[in-house]
Amino acid sequence: MSSAASHPAATPEGAHPFPHGHLTGIDGLQPWEIAFLLDEAEQWVALNRAATKHDDRLAGLTQINAFFENSTRTLLSFEIAGKRLGADVVNMHAAQSSVKKGETLLDTAITLNAMRPDIIVMRHGSSGAVQLIADKVDCPVLNAGDGWHEHPTQALLDALTIRRRKGAIAKQRVAICGDILHSRVARSNILALTALGAEVRVVAPPTLMPPAVERLGVTAFTDFDAGLDGCDVVMMLRLQTERMKSGLVPSAREYFALYGLTRERLEKAAPDALVMHPGPMNRGIEIASDIADDLDRSAITEQVEMGVAVRMACLDVLTRKGRGVEGWV
Amino acid sequence: MTGLTITGGTLIDPVADEERDGVVHVDDGLIAASEPEFAEPLDATGLHVAPGIVDLGVFAVDLPAFVAGGITRAALMPDQSVPLDEPSLIQRAAASGKPDVWIHPIAAATAGLDGEELAEIGLMQRAGACAVATGKSWIADGSVMLRVLRYAAALDLTVITTAEDAGLAGSAVATDGEASTRLGLAGAPAIAEAIAIARDLMLAEEAGARIHFRNVTTARGFDLIRDAKSRGLPVTCGITPAHLILCDVDIGPYRTFAKLTPPLRSADDRDAALAALADGTIDVIASGHDPQGTEAKRLPYADAEPGMAGAETLLTMSLGLVRDGRITLSRLFALLSSNPARILGIPGGSLDKGSPADIVMFDSDAPWKIDSEKMAASAGNTPFDGLPVQGRIAHVIKGGRLVIDRP
């Protein structure tokens, strides 16, 4: 067997590297398509570290960031990504406007479409809402998070971070820890990391564990220490405070005692285990400050950096067809 | 009124549980023993001739859909824009379908269907209500449900209940499982149904009431019903074709037309429903007809209204169960017609002399394709859109009058 054939991330001969009009999720992507986006992102990591961070391949194109749910970090990341590629970036903060109700979502889509954007980046609080819009508009749609469903660029930036820090994703033992049930970050990461050959574990209190999660190809743990055993990567998730109000978690201090990442607990993982968090962090609830700030162990700021690069790659790849790039028309 | 003589067809007799060649005479709106004096002939060669469908559980009066579906009597659930919780509303609903379809309104068990105070069940019975129902939701308070059951029992009315434990179901839009996890949809455990059935069975037994579970969809639920029936309790249950044919995987990429109440279950539960159909645990197949326009369905999945327009696909989807060898045609019409009539205590469901001349005639093999754009229903929200099916209705007779006639 050739090395290309045995490697799940190698593009098979004759296959298009990314034959999708939208990026609504990791679900439906082939391993080599995920790897292709990561490979594409590398050049943007380099550019973003250069003195002049500019490319003009999206010059003249309009990128609408339609955010139906509040966001600071992701919106900023997409805005910077678009601007560094030369796009005209417009932000629509629908969460703060009159467009709050689902009834107007399709009308909003039709309105946005009429403004002839070249790409729409969308976040919405309902699972499936981005797909609904993608089916209705003429331009590529990039999912920046829909409900509990998917957040594909987060999974890509996490994968890129792991690949750069660990040299590979395949065979890495990764524990995703926290509120798996309500987490689109967890779902996209499970799909991406298992596709790329990692051994994925999920660790959550039983009240925050999705039903039948093992059918997604992961091992589930309710005991944090057992789940951490020998892990190469420990990915912590943010615990929303409303989970305590709705009775899914007894209290912040109990959560931290059972599911908070401390230095002592991190000893269970591999000696060089990498600590990740999609942000924003709740220090003292899911992660202890000294771990979060330990530059040797924590990749949290690097994740943010990789986020811009991965989003640049996605914006570039998704608009290639519209820009008439050879091989993409 | 001129009579009819229907010849050449294969009669489906759910009461005798047989199919036979024979002639049906119609005189003065009823099925007659012999040919009436003035009879038009109706050639039913190549067709099946069956009692009109009695649909136990529709949520809207949608006459074109009922007529197209061979439904001659429809039991209207109390879940209307104004819940059917007082006699004048019952009276008006009862008159709303004539002459093409008879609407049999079901009285709300509690005022406003809010599960707290008894509605005027006795007065509604006098106004024409044929049964009592909890509505789309379960009555969470056991003491209220016990009162409803005792009261209905004294009036000799069947109580129709929706079995889904309210606490467990919460705001779920799917059944817990791989599909809900992959789609990121709020799910409820399938046992929410069995827990509610277990409670209501005990309360019904305590009250000595007849109870009908409108839509049972899980293995654990069927086990409870099977056990109650074996103990001789007056318990019946129903299901829709969608819950017999589809499972949670069919939600696919957020198909809101497949958002139903209860939500689609796992493939294992669907298989248990097919087994319960075959072994006689299920008494009724109903459409659950609930047309929802695009403004209610073209929404993110969690925000979309549940329900399907099921009336005009009820017969054809059910005929698929016969074709698959799961049940016989005569048993199918027990499920679609004679059992619901018996449970509701209304006429219909029979081709015997003296029965109302409610008759559906169909070609069980004729192929067609379900097209949500071309439905007679007030909205085309069917999860079976695009499906090639067999079984086409040729004639429908309601009370001796031809309401569909396309030979």
Side-chain angles (χ1 to χ4, degrees):
Chain A
M1 196 187 274
S2 75
S3 64
S6 65
H7 198 291
T11 308
E13 202 152 328
H16 191 281
F18 197 80
H20 306 279
H22 307 288
L23 180 62
T24 53
I26 299 295
D27 190 26
L29 299 187
Q30 298 294 338
W32 58 85
E33 293 164 2
I34 300 170
F36 170 72
L37 293 175
L38 302 184
D39 294 343
E40 286 290 314
E42 291 286 0
Q43 62 182 301
W44 305 121
V45 176
L47 180 101
N48 290 339
R49 288 177 179 179
T52 306
K53 306 170 185 63
H54 194 73
D55 184 278
D56 59 4
R57 66 185 63 197
L58 298 198
L61 301 194
T62 304
Q63 169 189 337
I64 300 181
N65 296 328
F67 276 54
F68 294 82
E69 200 181 67
N70 283 325
S71 161
T72 308
R73 307 158 65 100
T74 305
L75 178 59
L76 193 58
S77 182
F78 272 108
E79 183 170 0
I80 290 172
K83 284 181 169 163
R84 286 191 183 160
L85 291 173
D88 297 317
V89 184
V90 188
N91 295 329
M92 189 185 93
H93 303 272
Q96 289 138 36
S97 78
S98 58
V99 197
K100 276 186 181 167
K101 291 217 143 188
E103 280 92 335
T104 58
L105 186 57
L106 275 184
D107 286 339
T108 308
I110 292 162
T111 306
L112 291 179
N113 196 46
M115 295 179 189
R116 298 187 165 271
D118 299 286
I119 188 161
I120 295 173
V121 178
M122 176 170 159
R123 169 171 285 194
H124 195 282
S126 276
S127 302
V130 176
Q131 183 66 55
L132 189 71
I133 296 297
D135 293 341
K136 285 285 153 194
V137 299
D138 301 319
C139 70
V141 173
L142 207 170
N143 184 0
D146 64 323
W148 309 349
H149 177 224
E150 283 228 41
H151 189 1
T153 56
Q154 179 71 43
L156 293 170
L157 74 87
D158 288 337
L160 184 62
T161 306
I162 295 170
R163 197 173 78 169
R164 289 172 64 95
R165 286 285 278 256
K166 294 287 182 183
I169 291 163
K171 308 259 188 318
Q172 296 290 319
R173 181 180 285 181
V174 182
I176 307 174
C177 313
D179 181 1
I180 309 288
L181 178 63
H182 301 97
S183 176
R184 54 195 175 211
V185 173
R187 276 174 185 71
S188 288
N189 260 307
I190 288 169
L191 295 169
L193 294 173
T194 54
L196 295 172
E199 178 201 332
V200 180
R201 299 171 160 198
V202 293
V203 183
T207 49
L208 297 175
M209 187 72 85
V213 70
E214 295 192 324
R215 300 286 289 273
L216 274 55
V218 302
T219 316
F221 293 82
T222 51
D223 181 314
F224 196 6
D225 292 330
L228 282 180
D229 185 44
C231 282
D232 303 298
V233 178
V234 181
M235 193 181 283
M236 301 305 297
L237 299 173
R238 176 178 169 81
L239 183 75
Q240 309 278 353
T241 48
E242 56 258 36
R243 306 298 170 227
M244 281 170 273
K245 285 182 211 139
S246 55
L248 291 165
V249 174
S251 69
R253 67 177 189 176
E254 171 144 335
Y255 188 83
F256 186 66
L258 272 66
Y259 297 98
L261 186 65
T262 58
R263 189 166 295 280
E264 187 190 2
R265 192 163 254 153
L266 190 55
E267 297 292 317
K268 311 278 182 195
D272 59 346
L274 193 64
V275 174
M276 301 174 71
H277 193 296
M281 283 181 283
N282 291 307
R283 291 168 184 263
I285 295 179
E286 70 258 1
I287 189 164
S289 273
D290 62 324
I291 298 287
D293 299 333
D294 181 344
L295 292 179
D296 292 334
R297 309 301 296 273
S298 162
I300 294 169
T301 52
E302 195 174 333
Q303 286 173 272
V304 177
E305 185 189 356
M306 294 306 122
V308 177
V310 152
R311 286 165 183 136
M312 290 169 79
C314 292
L315 292 170
D316 170 29
V317 168
L318 285 172
T319 55
R320 282 184 190 176
K321 187 171 183 222
R323 288 185 283 130
V325 174
E326 197 184 335
W328 292 78
V329 184
Chain B
M1 188 190 259
T2 313
L4 278 171
T5 298
I6 303 161
T7 56
T10 306
L11 310 191
I12 302 171
D13 184 343
V15 182
D17 193 15
E18 64 174 22
E19 288 173 53
R20 60 170 185 269
D21 292 334
V23 177
V24 176
H25 301 295
V26 173
D27 190 17
D28 199 21
L30 300 175
I31 292 177
S34 58
E35 188 166 344
E37 204 173 338
F38 303 102
E40 298 255 3
L42 201 162
D43 180 10
T45 305
L47 301 178
H48 283 98
V49 180
I53 294 172
V54 180
D55 193 351
L56 205 176
V58 300
F59 290 91
V61 176
D62 192 355
L63 300 178
F66 298 159
V67 170
I71 295 163
T72 49
R73 292 168 187 269
L76 180 66
M77 291 293 287
D79 313 72
Q80 304 301 307
S81 52
V82 179
L84 303 181
D85 65 353
E86 59 156 294
S88 62
L89 296 168
I90 294 288
Q91 217 161 21
R92 200 172 66 182
S96 61
K98 289 176 184 177
D100 292 351
V101 180
W102 281 21
I103 302 296
H104 296 276
I106 302 172
T110 56
L113 283 174
D114 44 19
E116 288 166 13
E117 290 168 29
L118 275 184
E120 295 171 327
I121 297 170
L123 290 177
M124 287 192 279
Q125 182 183 30
R126 289 183 189 178
C130 59
V132 179
T134 63
K136 275 182 187 172
S137 53
W138 190 60
I139 293 179
D141 185 332
S143 71
V144 174
M145 188 59 177
L146 182 58
R147 261 176 254 146
V148 166
L149 287 159
R150 282 186 169 143
Y151 206 83
L155 294 167
D156 198 26
L157 290 169
T158 299
V159 175
I160 299 168
T161 179
T162 297
E164 187 90 20
D165 181 273
L168 282 172
S171 55
V173 297
T175 305
D176 270 354
E178 184 183 346
S180 71
T181 290
R182 283 189 184 277
L183 293 168
L185 295 174
I191 54 166
E193 177 178 287
I195 288 168
I197 290 174
R199 188 206 71 172
D200 285 354
L201 279 173
M202 285 190 202
L203 292 175
E205 189 172 3
E206 176 77 16
R210 286 197 311 269
I211 189 163
H212 175 73
F213 294 90
R214 191 174 55 82
N215 209 349
V216 179
T217 55
T218 63
R220 302 285 288 273
F222 290 118
D223 288 346
L224 291 167
I225 305 274
R226 205 175 276 125
D227 174 66
K229 285 186 164 189
S230 74
R231 292 192 291 121
L233 296 179
V235 176
T236 52
C237 73
I239 194 165
T240 72
H243 290 93
L244 283 166
I245 293 162
L246 305 175
C247 64
D248 56 5
V249 173
D250 295 299
I251 297 170
Y254 303 101
R255 294 174 64 222
T256 56
F257 282 6
K259 185 177 178 184
L260 308 175
T261 340
L264 287 171
R265 306 300 193 184
S266 68
D268 287 348
D269 276 329
R270 189 263 321 272
D271 293 347
L274 289 169
L277 183 76
D279 73 13
T281 305
I282 294 176
D283 305 279
V284 172
I285 300 179
S287 73
H289 190 67
D290 195 359
Q292 298 282 354
T294 51
E295 69 284 355
K297 282 288 190 184
R298 279 204 188 145
L299 293 173
Y301 195 86
D303 304 328
E305 287 293 328
M308 70 172 279
E312 59 204 284
T313 54
L314 175 59
L315 177 59
T316 188
M317 296 313 298
S318 301
L319 283 169
L321 301 165
V322 175
R323 203 168 301 111
D324 293 347
R326 301 191 185 279
I327 46 172
T328 63
L329 259 179
S330 58
R331 163 104 167 108
L332 174 62
F333 274 84
L335 292 154
L336 287 175
S337 185
S338 59
N339 287 351
R342 178 173 48 79
I343 290 164
L344 295 168
I346 61 175
S350 166
L351 293 178
D352 291 347
K353 168 174 73 95
S355 297
D358 296 355
I359 301 167
V360 58
M361 284 168 261
F362 57 93
D363 176 345
S364 59
D365 297 324
W368 60 291
K369 193 170 170 183
I370 296 173
D371 181 349
S372 70
E373 304 279 320
K374 291 183 183 161
M375 295 200 1
S378 60
N381 52 308
T382 171
F384 301 120
D385 188 25
L387 199 69
V389 290
Q390 281 176 272
R392 189 155 202 123
I393 290 170
H395 311 279
V396 177
I397 295 171
K398 171 66 203 172
R401 271 176 64 248
L402 268 165
V403 291
I404 283 191
D405 190 13
R406 37 170 194 239

